[in-house]
Every structure is written in structure tokens, then in C-alpha cells.
Amino acid sequence: MDIGIDKINFFTSNLYVDMTKLAIARNEDPDKYLIGIGQSKMAVIPPTQDIVTMGANAAESMLTNEDKESIDLVIVGTESGIDNSKSAAAYIADLLGLRDDIRTFEIKQACYGATAALQMAKAQIALNPDSKALIIGADIAKYGLNTPGEVTQGGGAVAMLVSANPKLLSFEGGSTYLSRNIMDFWRPLGHSEALVDGKYSSNVYLDFFNNVYSNYKDKTGFTIDNFEALLFHLPYTKMGLKALREAKKDADAKVSAKLAHRFEDSRLYNRQVGNLYTGSLYLSLLSLLENNDDLKSGDRLGLFSYGSGAQGEFFAMLLRKDYRKYLMNTTNEFLQKRTRISVEEYEKIYLRSLHYENNSELDLDMDDAQFVLTGIKENQRQYKNRI
């Protein structure tokens, strides 16, 4: 039985800051951000959006009523949790109007959470072929204003519907994975901004990729020639390019050029959004599917998932027959319609989003999304569906 991704969709805020403007404001050469980091725009998440609203917004527009009746599992992978007890999945399932007889929970392992959720969904569908699972990777990356990590901020949510006989991609075989207790990135309780050892974290990322990718090739007998594209977790898009260079060391010129071209397709959206943490790898996947025109059914994609602290995994998926017919193809237009704000406006929004006061209402004027956070009442978040 084939199991995989039947539908995929993305959501982020309708606001962004231009990285050239941010570089100038920080007295940096714009090429440091545009080329050295590989980012051109950064999503700015207003206080009226969090992982619940972004996850619900990403899922709602792709789900039919039939899908909602079939979903019996909702998992949110995130490191931007809004509650130390209750899962974001429970809120999202309620906003989407899903059935009550379902499982909802949340997974945390830095940027790896959505991949862990996908693998759980795969097992669930194997046991219950008529059911479907909703998997969401949603996060808001925060490192602070005027910090070295500021340029790698961002946020958004990727929603995926997992089912038997999927329309887009099917899992192929197993995975290879690696886990080590490493302090390359962490966020202690009470901290809204992450702490990171940037150079060390980049080196660990590459070490983990080389380990799980090499083990996968040993396990399957595949070489780089067996992959039509390689996809990466992209905390910033230059990071994925470094990993691709590692993978291409043994490739001939033709294969190397093919993989490089498809990598550029895969990072188009991430360049315009920034870091999604758990959703980053899957935004890259969506970008490849919606922007590449020479992939075909049966092509094998290799995916590298990484979460600091640290967990890595490599697995493969196969493109399904006529997959292009089932893509929503709305992301490019959505990203182009966003509103550019000034660096000063971005800084004000960032500072407002660090702290939510109890018994307060939020200004919704800058947010045009269907699902929004309207405020806090008696320490309970108040959500609204505008439709």
C-alpha cells in the first residue's frame, strides 16, 4: 500500500521586511544577507498570528469536507508552543471543525518535529488505510533585534494531508536517523528568543547530513545518480547549498548541474519567507513542486530533516502520477501580494509580539487572514474565524 502526502499548503503573514533595507539599517553590505545568507525577504509575524492561527490558515484552504470527516489524527510539530500543557493541535482541530473522535497532540524537537509527525502519520495510515492525518509544521523564529541571528528569522506554517494512495508523493522504504545531545541551539523556559552557537550549529548540521545520507546510501545501495532532487531543512537557504555541495562531491557534471538547478527551484519560497523551523524542509518541498517543470512521476526525491539539539533524518519520496494536477499553485501569488513594511514598523511589531498581556485585545487592522488571535481573556487565547 502506498502512503504519502496527498495535499500540501503554506501560510505566512501578509507582512514582510526587505532584506536589503534591513542590511542598510544594520550597517551591513546587502550582499551579506542576499548572497552570504541567501535571503531576500523575511516574513514579519504580527501579534494576531501564532502557530495556531497560521496552522489553521494553512490547512483550511486545502481541506474538503470529505477530508475533514476522514481525519482522525492531527499532529503539530513546533518549537514555538503557546502552552506548556495543551497542544496547538487541539486548538487547530477545533478551529477547523474536525470530528471529536480523533487524536491531537504536539511534537517538539527543534526543527525536526514535522518530520517525526510525518513518520507517525505513516504508521497510523498503515494500520488504518481509510483514515487521513493532518500534519502541521508551524513556527515563529526569533533571535532578537540587532543580533547575529536576526537575518535568519521568519515564520509560517506548512500543512500536509497524509493518506493512502496519495496524489502528490509516496514514501519509499525506511529512513536513516541520528540523535545526539548537542548544545548548538536551545531555548530555555521563559525565553521567547532562541540561543544559538551559529558556527557550531552549521558544522553539526553538515555532520549530521553526511552521516545520515551516507548511511542511507549504504542501506539502500543508491548513489547520488538515483535522486532527481535533494531537499534540505533551510534555516537560511545558503545552509542547504552547503549541504548540497557535500552531496555533489561524487557526482558527474550533468548530475551536479541537475541537482543545483532543482535546488534553486526548492529555495525560492524560503528566500522570501525566512526560517520556518519545523516547516522549513516542507516549504522547500512545496517550492520545488510548484516551480520546477521537468520532474516527472516516479522521480525520487531525497529529503534531509534536521533539528538542533540534535536530530537528523534522511528519507526518500516518489512523485505520483499526474501530481502537478493536484497542486494548489497559490503560493507564488500569495507571496507577491504581501505588504512590505519598513524596518521601523518591523521592529515595533517584533517588540509587541514578545509579550501578550492578560485581558487585552489586539488590533486586527494589519491582518487580513481568516483565522486570527484577537486577544487574551483570563489567560486564555481568544481565536476568531472571520468567515
Side-chain angles (χ1 to χ4, degrees), residues 293-306:
D293 58 6
D294 57 8
L295 289 166
K296 60 186 184 302
S297 63
D299 281 349
R300 179 181 294 108
L301 312 181
L303 294 90
F304 171 61
S305 181
Y306 176 77

Side-chain angles (χ1 to χ4, degrees), residues 117-230:
L118 266 185
Q119 297 295 346
M120 288 187 174
K122 177 183 176 183
Q124 165 76 2
I125 303 303
L127 294 172
N128 303 277
D130 293 331
S131 68
K132 296 180 181 179
L134 177 61
I135 304 303
I136 292 172
D139 272 299
I140 303 172
K142 294 180 179 179
Y143 295 96
L145 302 176
N146 286 289
T147 64
E150 181 181 28
V151 67
T152 64
Q153 296 180 142
V158 176
M160 294 172 281
L161 187 67
V162 180
S163 71
N165 302 313
K167 297 183 181 69
L168 299 180
L169 300 121
S170 58
F171 291 103
E172 182 186 37
S175 305
T176 50
Y177 29 82
L178 178 68
S179 178
R180 290 176 183 159
N181 183 19
I182 294 173
M183 296 302 292
D184 63 328
F185 172 106
W186 66 105
R187 182 150 61 93
L189 293 176
H191 283 239
S192 58
E193 297 164 329
L195 305 177
V196 61
D197 184 337
K199 185 175 181 180
Y200 178 47
S201 187
S202 296
N203 290 336
V204 173
Y205 175 107
L206 293 175
D207 287 343
F208 269 56
F209 169 70
N210 284 320
N211 184 298
V212 295
Y213 177 56
S214 176
N215 287 343
Y216 189 87
K217 290 188 294 181
D218 290 343
K219 179 179 179 179
T220 61
F222 292 161
T223 69
I224 196 167
D225 296 344
N226 295 107
F227 296 98
E228 293 302 318
L230 292 177

Side-chain angles (χ1 to χ4, degrees), residues 54-169:
M54 291 192 296
N57 282 312
E60 174 64 22
S61 58
M62 77 173 186
L63 297 177
T64 65
N65 289 333
E66 181 182 356
D67 291 331
K68 291 182 178 182
E69 284 299 312
S70 299
I71 291 171
D72 63 4
L73 175 66
V74 182
I75 313 177
V76 174
T78 188
E79 56 182 282
S80 308
I82 59 165
D83 191 299
N84 286 327
S85 177
K86 186 175 178 180
S87 77
Y91 288 102
I92 290 172
D94 179 55
L95 285 174
L96 296 176
L98 302 185
R99 296 159 27 199
D100 292 336
D101 54 334
I102 62 175
R103 291 190 177 106
T104 60
F105 57 96
E106 188 175 304
I107 292 178
K108 179 182 70 178
Q109 176 44 57
C111 304
Y112 171 76
T115 298
L118 266 185
Q119 297 295 346
M120 288 187 174
K122 177 183 176 183
Q124 165 76 2
I125 303 303
L127 294 172
N128 303 277
D130 293 331
S131 68
K132 296 180 181 179
L134 177 61
I135 304 303
I136 292 172
D139 272 299
I140 303 172
K142 294 180 179 179
Y143 295 96
L145 302 176
N146 286 289
T147 64
E150 181 181 28
V151 67
T152 64
Q153 296 180 142
V158 176
M160 294 172 281
L161 187 67
V162 180
S163 71
N165 302 313
K167 297 183 181 69
L168 299 180
L169 300 121

Side-chain angles (χ1 to χ4, degrees), residues 150-378:
E150 181 181 28
V151 67
T152 64
Q153 296 180 142
V158 176
M160 294 172 281
L161 187 67
V162 180
S163 71
N165 302 313
K167 297 183 181 69
L168 299 180
L169 300 121
S170 58
F171 291 103
E172 182 186 37
S175 305
T176 50
Y177 29 82
L178 178 68
S179 178
R180 290 176 183 159
N181 183 19
I182 294 173
M183 296 302 292
D184 63 328
F185 172 106
W186 66 105
R187 182 150 61 93
L189 293 176
H191 283 239
S192 58
E193 297 164 329
L195 305 177
V196 61
D197 184 337
K199 185 175 181 180
Y200 178 47
S201 187
S202 296
N203 290 336
V204 173
Y205 175 107
L206 293 175
D207 287 343
F208 269 56
F209 169 70
N210 284 320
N211 184 298
V212 295
Y213 177 56
S214 176
N215 287 343
Y216 189 87
K217 290 188 294 181
D218 290 343
K219 179 179 179 179
T220 61
F222 292 161
T223 69
I224 196 167
D225 296 344
N226 295 107
F227 296 98
E228 293 302 318
L230 292 177
L231 296 155
F232 303 91
H233 164 57
L234 297 178
Y236 54 94
T237 69
K238 187 67 173 290
M239 189 72 250
L241 183 58
K242 293 178 181 180
L244 180 64
R245 288 169 179 164
E246 293 287 316
K248 294 195 305 175
K249 286 179 178 178
D250 298 326
D252 64 29
K254 183 177 180 180
V255 171
S256 179
K258 174 188 68 177
L259 294 175
H261 169 71
R262 289 173 178 168
F263 175 77
E264 293 303 320
D265 291 337
S266 74
R267 70 166 169 169
L268 284 173
Y269 294 161
N270 299 72
R271 281 188 64 93
Q272 300 179 63
V273 175
N275 199 348
L276 265 71
Y277 287 162
T278 53
S280 171
L281 170 61
Y282 301 101
L283 179 60
S284 178
L285 171 62
L286 178 62
S287 183
L288 176 69
L289 297 181
E290 292 190 349
N291 291 291
N292 181 273
D293 58 6
D294 57 8
L295 289 166
K296 60 186 184 302
S297 63
D299 281 349
R300 179 181 294 108
L301 312 181
L303 294 90
F304 171 61
S305 181
Y306 176 77
S308 296
Q311 180 71 49
E313 182 164 346
F314 189 91
F315 62 102
M317 302 196 81
L318 300 176
L319 288 169
R320 302 286 286 178
K321 182 180 179 181
D322 297 327
Y323 74 92
R324 283 193 179 87
K325 293 190 338 186
Y326 303 105
L327 292 168
M328 295 182 66
N329 285 316
T330 58
T331 315
N332 272 302
E333 182 180 1
F334 171 72
L335 291 175
Q336 295 307 312
K337 286 184 175 180
R338 293 178 300 167
T339 299
R340 186 179 73 184
I341 59 175
S342 67
V343 174
E344 292 76 16
E345 289 173 311
Y346 144 67
E347 291 174 340
K348 290 178 182 178
I349 291 172
Y350 183 92
L351 292 173
R352 284 203 304 268
S353 67
L354 287 178
H355 303 287
Y356 290 86
E357 295 183 3
N358 189 30
N359 296 318
S360 62
E361 294 185 3
L362 297 173
D363 183 359
L364 305 179
D365 288 347
M366 296 186 71
D367 193 340
D368 61 1
Q370 177 177 346
F371 296 104
V372 291
L373 172 66
T374 63
I376 311 290
K377 183 178 181 181
E378 297 179 356

